[in-house]
Amino acid sequence: QVQLVESGGGLVQPGMSLRLSCVASGLIFADYDMNWYRQAPGKERELVATVTGLGGVTHYGDPVKGRFTISKDDEKKMVFLQMNSLKPDDTAMYYCNALGFDITSGETYWGQGTQVTVSS
């Protein structure tokens, strides 16, 4: 019943911006930390950004620090990833992830992904 659906990906030129969205359903949003992961062809999946369910504390992977911003809307059960100054190395499939804590500890859910392609 839990669903995470990403949107907002596309093909853009280096230096441009893109905003990804993820809408969650079937879960108690406040019981999950929300994450954005990405995986490029031939590379391992990497954590891009995190926003905690409690307190909204954010964390970013080194490659995107200063360029990406994660945010969320608890009422709408949505999480966003604002991506600025995009680089070709940002090209990847981006996945929304929910990771439970407290009573939901150990639960994790994934979206289907949205493709981001940065041309060069």
Side-chain angles (χ1 to χ4, degrees):
Q1 186 173 344
V2 174
Q3 291 187 355
L4 303 176
V5 181
E6 305 95 334
S7 63
L11 193 157
V12 297
Q13 294 183 335
M16 297 296 100
S17 297
L18 210 56
R19 187 180 188 238
L20 305 184
S21 299
C22 172
V23 58
S25 61
L27 55 75
I28 301 176
F29 200 63
D31 291 340
Y32 295 83
D33 295 335
M34 301 301 298
N35 310 288
W36 285 100
Y37 284 82
R38 69 184 183 186
Q39 186 167 25
K43 298 182 179 179
E44 295 183 346
R45 179 186 295 167
E46 66 174 347
L47 178 63
V48 176
T50 295
V51 58
T52 62
L54 181 62
V57 180
T58 60
H59 175 79
Y60 300 93
D62 287 339
V64 308
K65 287 181 179 178
R67 300 188 297 119
F68 290 11
T69 302
I70 188 171
S71 61
K72 65 175 182 175
D73 186 327
D74 290 338
E75 183 177 348
K76 295 181 179 180
K77 295 184 178 180
M78 295 186 69
V79 60
F80 309 94
L81 185 67
Q82 178 66 44
M83 305 183 294
N84 298 326
S85 301
L86 283 163
K87 306 175 180 179
D89 285 348
D90 295 320
T91 296
M93 184 72 74
Y94 284 72
Y95 298 92
C96 181
N97 166 260
L99 181 62
F101 59 92
D102 291 343
I103 63 172
T104 57
S105 181
E107 297 182 8
T108 188
Y109 303 97
W110 294 88
Q112 295 298 310
T114 184
Q115 179 68 40
V116 173
T117 302
V118 185
S119 66
S120 62

